[in-house]
């Protein structure tokens, strides 16, 4: 097994592209090293991206934010601007593992690990985050929900990596929130989860909304029907019930050691309602 | 010299103080050496191949490719572990559990092992071993295993007193009780019957099993191992390998938790057999996954309870039917459940019947007050239901029916002075009982009992020339016992705590000591040390008499010094222990005291717990808000470590009650052999656990000590069950009360 720590994205891509066997990008390593130690993967090459300067920073750009692929979640928590703009994204990133894990782990790694239960992904999806993908053929920008293809699989092709995640600047009166259900208070994996972002119009009426669910399908699911259920409302009880019903209808979870189909479906609706209320408040709704 | 073990109510100087533990600094700085921290020149890495099947015939094992791999020094199967125990069933069971003999009995059962020059090679060798399995029908559920058409786990098993020709999974039926049950139920105004289930849990010790084994061609061997009982490990390993007991030296490492799971051997005989075959030391360290799949958790159970009571609150009859799953080998776990089920109460008519049942799961091991928590969950839940039906306060109802001195226990003996009543009184007076509950919150309480154990013990006290003291004990320190035992030696000899050094001696140094189980460490080694110190004091007096030139009868031991009494000696200065020790080379050589004893008279122990919870009615999630443990300790030698035991037991009980469980798939494979999906509580899941120590002296110990390590894991399942049931308004009958189960129960009741 070879370990490389290039200092530029270009070099990293070149290393990945020319490698013949199995190659893995190493960000925080909190998934990769666990799988390596468990004997689930036997890489020929590991490319550590933590020495790449451009991947280390959170940048405020004209259109919003650019979060380098090697930025640990703890740094997202420390960014006041990010907290103010997308508190739901930050609270999701800050739910990953524990303080120690967050000192290393990244939202890009969370996305590329492609677990349906990845905590930061639903909130990235509702915030319309995009992934900046760099490969031998150049650069492309894709919506984050297009990256995971199924449990443990991504749509990235050979030699490609993600350089950064971008977030738009939120429209005025926008709020987002993320909630997950875990039996333990921390160090656990979401049994199901929900992220909601809303933008309010006149009189506190929801004008735009996005709702995404985690751990209830092979990938994180965006639920337009659930968004529709609350657009044009002030989150009255009927709207919230319709939101929950739409979420439950979008669930196609599995029965496993972490939860039953019935429980996941049921609680996904409960979390969506609760997250919607928090997002609404953060958007300035009363 | 024989000594009297009776309680004497003496005044203490250092007993009861909160001194720092002697192993503390090494443990927090990482210097302490655990099971995996030993190395030997030329050591090999041992690894075990385990069955992926719940139940399978092993038609053939081809090890040739593994043996041919460069770097592989030994490969063994059960053929390398022949029967050296003359067919003794209990020992053969242990051997068969260490290595499958023709049949894999559970997912994770060891089938072969290798020793190689490094981990990479050992891993590769495991992959090269070809096992030809023929999968068989399996059963993992205790109730299903009792059905007539269930797959049979052990063809040789027959129920005692049952059909001698009929194979069965019921290895044993045990029955306890007294009185006339029919008459008792006939007298009852209220009768409540309920059925309960509890799932299988693992002790969850942080340190996986690990050892370093070395056996030479001369038949001598050494084993460094994380264990609760190195003498027991020596006895078992020597017997299974056909070695002589005196030629196998077993040293216990520091232990990162055991809770019963390290009371007998798992892979240690395999490591010794590998070492013998390779003629090199072999280090074998289990992974967490192997620890879950291949070592002993506690039972899953299915229990029926029936209680009858009169309007005045007296229980007239009580019946428990308990089905405990022992894993793939017979155990006594159901029997212990039956013995403990009703132990808290004074009952005129009582019966418990237990079934020990075999299934295709790992061999069950002890887990802290083994079997009692499940029985208590079922009994204490039903007791709450009866109290409610009678319109009585659950604490008052328990107090009215509590056992006391003179009560004939349901399992046979008549109690001496016991603590159940006082713990219940303390519950009534506890400030937590007055805290107002909010919406979706509930309060519950429950009682628990554990026997405690004494057993064979052997200790030595050696006094150094500078007046410091070495205490050698044979009971492994699993909970701070070296601090407590040092306090006891300091008290007896009248020296400062700081001048005592307590060491857990290897098997070549002391006579046999029973395993540290049954909360016996401080009780039994404490007794042996008191007696050993008193023997040393005899010698100290004799030496002092020589030094003072007075008859030994005139020399008394007071406050750590020899004092000559009598008018003609009034001008003689007392001699301190240090002064006598300094002169010992001239007065007869080293000064020591020794004692070996079967420490009888372990006092039973009771606890009552109070728990407040809040349940999210939409997700079924439970938060434990407040928790209080009240337990009788007899005498708290070192209160910090007594409280630590109370808190630790409650923490384990909370995990068991709410989230921990072995989850088996339809294929009979364990789905969650890791801490990610086997959910023991993390720190933020627990409230501060309040403790209250009661001291009702055990008449069978000079200091009044009772064991304290186990009792407090007995009440939590029921205390939390009662609290959750009160919070959601639905009786919970299935442990763990995980969110899906609670939500399911709430929805079913709607
Ligand atoms: C104790 C513990 C607790 C955890 N708790 C949680 C939790 O609560 N919630 C949760 O969602 N997850 C949890 N995880 C999983 C893990 O921490 C997260 O998924 C984390 O976000 C992964 O980030 P990382 O930077 O460590 O990824 P890495 O392990 O470095 O990488 C993960 C995967 O992504 C690939 N990858 C990484 N960066 C890139 C890139 N720039 N381009 C292309 N591919 C890339 C890697 O090759 C690898 O396949 C936990 C893990 C541990 C060990």
């Amino acid at each position: 097994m070879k370990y490389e720590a290039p200092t530029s994205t270009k070099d990293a891509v070149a290393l990945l592209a020319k490698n013949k066997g199995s190659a893995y990008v190493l960000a925080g390593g909190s998934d990769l090293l666990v799988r390596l130690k468990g004997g689930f993967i036997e890489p020929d090459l590991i490319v550590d991206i933590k020495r790449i300067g451009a991947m280390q920073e959170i940048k405020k750009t004209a259109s919003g934010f650019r979060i380098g692929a090697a930025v640990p979640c703890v740094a997202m928590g420390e960014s006041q601007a990010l907290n103010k703009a997308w508190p739901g994204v930050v609270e999701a990133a800050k739910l990953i593992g524990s303080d120690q894990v967050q000192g290393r782990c990244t939202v890009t790694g969370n996305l590329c690990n492609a677990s349906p239960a990845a905590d930061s992904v639903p909130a990235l999806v509702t915030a319309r985050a995009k992934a900046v993908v760099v490969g031998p053929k150049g650069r492309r920008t894709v919506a984050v929900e297009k990256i995971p293809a199924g449990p443990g699989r991504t749509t990235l092709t050979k030699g490609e990596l993600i350089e950064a995640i971008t977030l738009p600047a939120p429209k005025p009166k926008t709020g987002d929130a993320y909630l997950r259900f875990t039996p333990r208070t921390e160090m656990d994996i979401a049994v199901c989860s929900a992220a909601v972002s809303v933008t309010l119009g006149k009189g506190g009426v929801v004008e735009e909304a996005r709702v995404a669910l985690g751990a209830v399908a092979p990938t994180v699911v965006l639920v337009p029907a659930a968004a529709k259920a609350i657009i044009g409302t002030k989150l009255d009880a009927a709207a919230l019930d319709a939101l929950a019903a739409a979420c439950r209808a979008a669930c196609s979870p599995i029965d496993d050691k972490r939860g039953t189909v019935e429980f996941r479906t049921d609680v996904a609706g409960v979390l969506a309602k609760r997250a919607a209320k928090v997002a609404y408040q953060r958007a300035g709704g009363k | 010299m024989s000594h009297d073990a009776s309680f004497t109510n003496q005044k203490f100087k250092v007993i009861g103080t909160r001194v720092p533990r002697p192993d503390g600094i090494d443990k927090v700085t990482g210097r302490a050496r655990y099971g995996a921290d030993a190395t030997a020149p030329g050591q090999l890495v041992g690894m075990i191949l385990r069955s992926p099947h719940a139940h399978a015939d092993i038609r053939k094992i081809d090890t040739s490719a593994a043996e041919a791999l460069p770097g592989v020094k030994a490969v063994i199967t059960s053929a390398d572990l022949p029967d050296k125990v003359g067919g003794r069933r209990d020992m053969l069971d242990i051997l068969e559990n260490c290595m499958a003999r023709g049949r894999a009995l559970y997912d994770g059962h060891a089938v072969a092992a290798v020793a190689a020059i490094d981990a990479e090679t050992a891993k590769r060798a495991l992959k090269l071993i070809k096992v030809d399995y023929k999968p068989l029908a399996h059963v993992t559920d205790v109730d299903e295993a009792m059905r007539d058409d269930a797959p049979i786990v052990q063809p040789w098993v027959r129920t005692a007193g049952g059909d001698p020709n009929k194979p069965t999974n019921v290895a044993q039926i045990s029955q306890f009780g007294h009185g006339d049950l029919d008459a008792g139920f006939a007298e009852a105004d209220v009768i409540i019957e309920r059925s309960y289930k509890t799932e299988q849990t693992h002790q969850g010790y942080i340190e996986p099993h690990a050892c370093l084994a070395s056996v030479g061609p001369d038949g001598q061997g050494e084993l460094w191992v994380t264990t609760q009982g190195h003498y027991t490990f020596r006895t078992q390993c020597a017997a299974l390998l056909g070695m002589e007991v005196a030629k196998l030296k077993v040293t216990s490492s520091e232990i990162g938790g055991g809770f019963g799971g390290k009371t007998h051997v798992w892979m240690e005989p395999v490591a010794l057999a590998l070492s013998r075959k390779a003629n090199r030391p072999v280090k074998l360290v289990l992974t967490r996954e192997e620890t879950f799949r291949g070592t002993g958790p506690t039972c899953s159970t299915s229990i029926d309870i029936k209680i009858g009571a009169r309007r005045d609150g007296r229980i007239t009859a009580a019946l428990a039917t308990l089905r405990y799953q022992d894993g793939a080998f017979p155990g006594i776990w159901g029997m212990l459940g039956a013995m403990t089920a009703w132990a808290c109460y004074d009952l005129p008519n009582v019966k418990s019947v237990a079934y020990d049942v075999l299934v295709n799961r790992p061999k069950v091991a002890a887990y802290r007050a083994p079997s009692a928590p499940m029985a208590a969950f079922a009994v204490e839940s039903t007791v709450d239901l009866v109290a409610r039906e009678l319109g009585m306060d659950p604490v008052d109802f328990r107090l009215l029916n509590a056992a006391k001195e003179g009560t004939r226990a349901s399992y046979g003996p008549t109690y001496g002075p016991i603590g159940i009543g006082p713990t219940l009184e303390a519950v009534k007076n506890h400030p937590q009982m007055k805290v107002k509950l909010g919406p979706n919150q509930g309060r519950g309480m429950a009682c628990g009992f554990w026997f405690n154990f004494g057993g064979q013990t052997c200790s030595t006290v050696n006094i150094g020339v500078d007046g410091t003291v070495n205490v050698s004990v044979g009971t492994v320190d699993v909970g701070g016992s070296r601090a407590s035992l040092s306090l006891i030696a300091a008290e007896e000899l009248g020296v400062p705590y700081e001048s005592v050094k307590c060491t857990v001696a290897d098997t070549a140094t002391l006579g046999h000591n029973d395993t540290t189980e049954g909360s016996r460490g401080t009780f039994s080694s404490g007794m042996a040390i008191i007696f050993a110190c008193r023997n040393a004091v005899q010698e100290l007096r004799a030496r002092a008499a020589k030094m003072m030139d007075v008859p030994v009868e005139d020399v008394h031991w007071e406050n750590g010094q020899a004092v000559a009494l009598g008018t003609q000696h009034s001008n003689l200065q007392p001699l301190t222990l240090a002064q006598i020790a300094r002169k010992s080379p001239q007065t007869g050589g080293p000064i020591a005291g020794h004692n070996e004893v079967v420490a009888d008279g372990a006092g039973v122990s009771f606890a009552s717990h109070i728990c407040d919870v809040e349940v999210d009615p939409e997700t079924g999630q439970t938060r434990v808000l407040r928790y209080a443990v009240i337990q009788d300790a007899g005498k708290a030698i070192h209160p910090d470590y007594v409280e630590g035991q109370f808190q630790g037991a409650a923490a384990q009980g909370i995990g068991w009650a709410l989230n921990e469980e072995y989850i088996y798939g339809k294929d009979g494979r364990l789905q969650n052999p890791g801490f990610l999906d086997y959910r023991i509580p993390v720190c933020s899941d627990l409230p501060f656990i309040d403790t209250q120590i009661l001291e009702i002296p055990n008449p069978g110990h000079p200091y009044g000590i009772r064991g304290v390590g186990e009792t407090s894991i007995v009440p939590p399942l029921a205390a939390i069950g009662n609290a959750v049931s009160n919070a959601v308004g639905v009786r919970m009958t299935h442990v763990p009360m995980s969110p899906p189960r609670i939500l399911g129960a709430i929805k079913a009741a709607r």
Side-chain angles (χ1 to χ4, degrees):
Chain A
M1 187 176 85
K2 255 196 1 210
Y3 168 87
E4 300 278 2
T7 53
S8 73
T9 303
K10 210 173 126 215
D11 290 352
V13 169
L15 281 163
L16 290 169
K18 79 164 189 259
N19 178 66
K20 295 249 161 0
S22 67
Y24 288 86
V25 174
L26 174 76
S30 59
D31 280 314
L32 195 69
L33 297 187
V34 174
R35 289 204 286 149
L36 190 69
K37 275 205 133 183
F40 301 107
I41 52 168
E42 288 175 357
D44 297 300
L45 172 69
I46 284 186
V47 178
D48 187 344
I49 56 170
K50 286 195 293 296
R51 306 270 169 85
I52 302 172
M55 291 201 189
Q56 308 269 18
E57 8 169 278
I58 302 174
K59 267 220 289 243
K60 228 178 149 186
T61 60
S63 57
F65 296 90
R66 189 176 190 283
I67 304 165
V71 169
C73 291
V74 70
M76 292 174 63
E78 282 164 5
S79 161
Q80 281 191 7
L82 202 57
N83 265 296
K84 195 153 169 270
W86 295 108
V89 171
V90 175
E91 81 189 337
K94 294 287 293 169
L95 275 173
I96 297 176
S98 59
D99 285 355
Q100 291 94 325
V101 174
Q102 285 158 28
R104 303 297 284 185
C105 75
T106 64
V107 291
T108 308
N110 199 222
L111 179 68
C112 295
N113 189 54
S115 156
D119 274 315
S120 69
V121 179
L124 288 172
V125 168
T126 54
R128 298 181 198 273
K130 296 204 162 64
V132 181
V133 179
V134 184
K137 291 194 199 114
R139 203 172 242 96
R140 62 191 176 103
T141 299
V142 281
V144 288
E145 55 268 37
K146 298 273 187 283
I147 297 292
R153 291 182 298 117
T154 69
T155 55
L156 298 177
T157 57
K158 181 163 168 68
E160 280 190 327
L161 56 67
I162 293 178
E163 188 182 38
I165 301 283
T166 64
L167 285 167
K171 290 185 185 171
K173 289 203 196 162
T174 293
D176 71 336
Y178 173 75
L179 289 172
R180 68 170 184 183
F181 182 84
T182 56
R184 280 193 289 222
T185 44
E186 52 183 351
M187 302 298 282
D188 213 337
I189 289 196
V191 174
C192 57
S193 66
V196 177
S197 86
V198 293
T199 302
L200 307 187
K202 267 201 208 93
V205 173
V206 176
E207 212 169 66
E208 277 181 39
R210 275 165 79 85
V211 179
L213 302 175
V216 292
T219 60
V220 167
V221 282
L222 188 62
V223 193
K228 221 170 128 194
I230 54 171
I231 290 174
T233 78
K234 292 166 79 174
L235 293 195
D236 53 282
L240 287 170
D241 284 345
L243 163 80
C247 285
R248 286 174 185 140
C251 292
S252 56
I254 51 166
D255 257 327
D256 73 357
K257 60 197 172 188
R258 293 186 184 142
T260 58
V261 167
E262 192 193 349
F263 183 81
R264 286 183 149 128
T265 307
D266 199 359
V267 175
V270 172
L271 295 180
K273 274 186 178 185
R274 293 180 180 177
K277 285 196 224 172
V278 178
Y280 186 75
Q281 249 179 11
R282 286 178 179 165
K286 286 188 188 86
Chain B
M1 176 175 178
S2 79
H3 296 274
D4 185 1
S6 308
F7 176 65
T8 57
N9 201 18
Q10 75 190 78
K11 286 263 173 300
F12 293 119
K13 287 204 195 65
V14 291
I15 296 296
T17 58
R18 298 174 186 254
V19 291
R21 64 195 293 164
D23 49 322
I25 290 179
D26 277 358
K27 281 182 175 162
V28 298
T29 56
R31 195 180 282 124
R33 291 167 74 229
Y34 290 89
D37 294 327
T39 46
Q43 98 188 7
L44 302 173
V45 175
M47 276 191 199
I48 294 176
L49 185 70
R50 295 177 182 277
S51 166
H53 301 289
H55 195 190
D57 272 329
I58 300 171
R59 285 189 286 221
K60 190 168 175 251
I61 305 180
D62 180 358
T63 58
S64 54
E67 277 161 19
L69 184 71
V72 172
K73 300 296 178 187
V75 181
I76 65 165
T77 65
S78 60
D80 298 276
L81 289 163
D83 174 7
K84 297 272 184 189
V85 293
R88 242 183 82 192
R89 198 62 248 182
D90 58 336
M91 292 303 287
L92 267 188
D93 282 354
I94 294 176
L95 189 63
E96 185 174 6
N97 187 49
C98 291
M99 188 69 76
R101 305 176 87 73
R103 221 151 38 89
L105 296 167
Y106 54 90
D107 166 47
H109 197 173
V111 296
V114 302
I117 50 167
D118 57 28
E120 285 285 285
T121 311
K123 253 186 230 162
R124 247 184 297 148
L126 287 188
K127 286 188 189 155
L128 291 173
I129 298 174
K130 290 187 213 69
V131 186
D132 179 9
Y133 293 106
K134 178 178 168 246
L136 301 169
H138 66 270
V139 59
T140 55
D141 178 78
V142 64
D143 290 320
E144 282 171 23
M146 285 180 71
R147 292 217 308 248
D148 268 345
D149 58 351
I152 294 297
V153 178
Q154 295 278 18
W156 56 267
V157 163
R158 300 288 179 279
T159 314
D163 183 344
N165 299 314
K166 194 169 170 284
T168 171
N169 289 324
V170 177
Q172 171 172 263
I173 303 176
S174 325
Q175 192 167 317
F176 298 89
H178 54 249
D180 180 341
L181 226 58
D182 291 339
F185 281 118
E187 205 194 319
D189 297 313
V190 167
I191 294 176
I192 303 267
E193 268 189 277
R194 279 290 167 119
S195 296
Y196 302 88
K197 275 203 121 163
T198 70
E199 296 302 327
Q200 183 154 39
T201 55
H202 195 272
Q203 301 84 348
Y205 31 85
I206 296 300
E207 183 197 23
H209 299 259
C211 69
L212 173 63
S214 179
V215 183
D218 58 358
Q220 303 198 62
E222 289 190 9
L223 180 69
W224 162 274
V225 60
T226 174
T227 170
Q228 290 174 247
H230 43 313
Y231 294 87
T232 304
F233 274 40
R234 173 179 70 166
T235 311
Q236 292 182 350
C237 288
L240 297 177
L241 285 136
M243 295 172 73
E244 288 168 297
V245 161
K247 298 206 177 134
L248 177 63
K249 183 172 98 174
V250 183
T251 308
S252 65
S253 69
E254 289 291 349
I255 184 169
F259 310 106
K262 293 175 184 164
T263 53
H264 73 76
V265 297
W266 304 99
M267 80 308 171
E268 294 80 4
V270 173
L272 287 162
L274 282 170
S275 171
R276 180 161 67 185
K277 193 163 182 181
N279 194 17
R280 298 258 293 263
V282 172
K283 184 162 161 181
L284 210 165
V285 180
L286 297 193
T287 61
R288 177 63 57 191
E289 181 185 326
E290 288 182 286
T291 303
F292 274 112
R293 288 170 71 212
T295 70
T298 189
C299 324
S300 53
T301 71
S302 156
I303 302 173
D304 307 325
I305 300 290
K306 183 176 175 187
I307 298 178
R310 283 199 312 253
R311 279 268 157 248
D312 65 5
R314 278 296 295 183
I315 296 175
T316 56
L319 169 66
T321 309
L322 312 103
R323 295 166 292 271
Y324 278 53
Q325 163 271 112
D326 290 354
F329 297 92
I332 55 163
W333 311 115
M335 184 184 87
L336 292 179
M339 291 173 81
T340 56
W342 301 108
C344 291
Y345 298 105
D346 182 5
L347 302 170
N349 308 297
V350 58
K351 182 169 153 184
S352 44
V353 184
Y355 298 83
D356 273 295
V357 185
L358 304 187
V359 299
N360 295 109
R361 296 196 189 204
K363 176 186 160 79
V364 160
Y367 178 10
R368 209 167 192 162
S371 306
M374 306 80 135
F377 170 64
V379 166
E380 290 292 283
S381 296
T382 316
V383 164
D384 250 36
L385 286 168
V386 177
R388 171 180 295 246
E389 188 68 25
L390 292 169
M392 280 183 79
D393 173 77
V395 186
D396 289 334
F397 179 63
R398 284 178 172 86
L399 262 170
L400 188 64
N401 290 288
K404 47 196 164 301
E405 184 164 2
T407 292
R408 182 170 170 207
S410 54
Y411 67 96
T414 298
Y415 289 131
I418 54 171
I420 179 69
T423 63
L424 282 164
E425 292 289 353
V427 166
K428 274 190 87 88
N429 296 322
H430 197 280
Q432 187 176 329
M433 296 298 276
K434 295 187 190 71
V435 179
K436 268 230 161 62
L437 296 175
N440 302 317
Q441 298 184 352
R443 176 167 296 144
M445 61 84 47
C447 303
F449 157 89
W450 187 242
F451 309 96
N452 293 331
F453 177 56
Q456 299 180 70
T457 315
C458 182
S459 293
T460 294
V461 172
N462 284 299
I463 295 172
V465 283
D466 61 353
T468 58
V469 179
N470 272 127
V471 174
S472 300
V473 298
T475 46
V476 172
D477 180 354
V478 289
S481 64
R482 275 167 296 185
S484 299
L485 297 174
S486 298
L487 280 170
I488 291 173
E491 184 75 42
E492 281 298 317
L493 297 172
V495 297
Y497 166 77
E498 293 72 23
S499 44
V500 181
K501 163 86 183 165
C502 182
T503 303
V504 180
D506 62 50
T507 57
T509 307
L510 288 173
H512 176 84
N513 277 270
D514 283 338
T515 299
T516 304
E517 60 188 354
S519 297
R520 66 179 294 272
T522 302
F523 168 80
S524 64
S525 277
M527 189 184 284
I529 288 167
I530 291 170
F531 298 157
C533 286
R534 290 178 185 174
N535 288 341
V537 164
Q538 296 298 350
E539 188 59 26
L540 285 161
R541 282 176 54 226
R543 301 296 178 86
K546 244 189 205 169
M547 288 165 71
M548 297 177 182
D549 197 19
V550 300
V552 68
E553 307 80 65
D554 290 352
V555 180
H556 288 239
W557 193 257
E558 284 170 16
N559 301 327
Q561 27 182 38
V563 183
L565 296 184
T567 43
Q568 59 280 51
H569 312 317
S570 57
N571 57 338
L572 289 172
Q573 283 291 317
L575 291 170
T576 64
L577 179 140
Q579 287 170 322
I580 302 166
R582 198 173 305 128
K583 278 275 182 286
S584 61
Q586 289 84 45
T587 58
I591 300 171
H594 181 80
N595 179 257
E596 59 274 322
V597 63
V598 177
D600 292 326
V604 296
S605 160
F606 293 88
S608 295
H609 291 195
I610 317 165
C611 174
D612 293 356
V613 299
E614 181 170 326
V615 181
D616 183 332
E618 290 184 314
T619 66
Q621 185 156 44
T622 301
R623 282 287 288 160
V624 180
L625 303 171
R626 285 172 287 273
Y627 201 100
V629 174
I630 301 151
Q631 187 182 319
D632 173 19
K635 174 70 203 170
I637 300 300
H638 193 306
D640 275 353
Y641 303 141
V642 173
E643 289 160 3
Q645 292 295 320
F646 291 7
Q647 290 171 320
Q652 283 186 315
I654 290 170
W656 187 345
L658 292 178
N659 282 310
E660 291 179 37
E661 66 178 303
Y662 266 44
I663 301 170
Y664 277 89
K666 287 203 172 63
D667 57 4
R669 292 184 189 169
L670 183 59
Q671 304 286 301
N672 57 337
F675 281 141
L676 186 54
D677 291 303
Y678 180 90
R679 295 182 168 106
I680 63 170
V682 296
C683 213
S684 50
D685 290 326
L686 299 172
F688 178 79
I689 294 165
D690 185 44
T691 55
Q692 196 175 326
I693 302 172
L694 302 187
E695 295 189 326
I696 295 133
N698 171 15
H701 192 283
Y703 290 4
I705 297 173
R706 296 175 196 267
V708 299
E710 293 167 287
T711 311
S712 271
I713 201 171
V714 184
L717 307 189
I720 295 163
N722 288 336
V724 169
S725 302
N726 290 335
V728 301
V730 186
R731 174 51 51 180
M732 297 306 300
T733 56
H734 196 161
V735 159
M737 291 165 278
S738 57
R741 283 205 185 100
I742 292 179
L743 196 59
I746 294 173
K747 287 170 110 185
R750 263 191 212 133

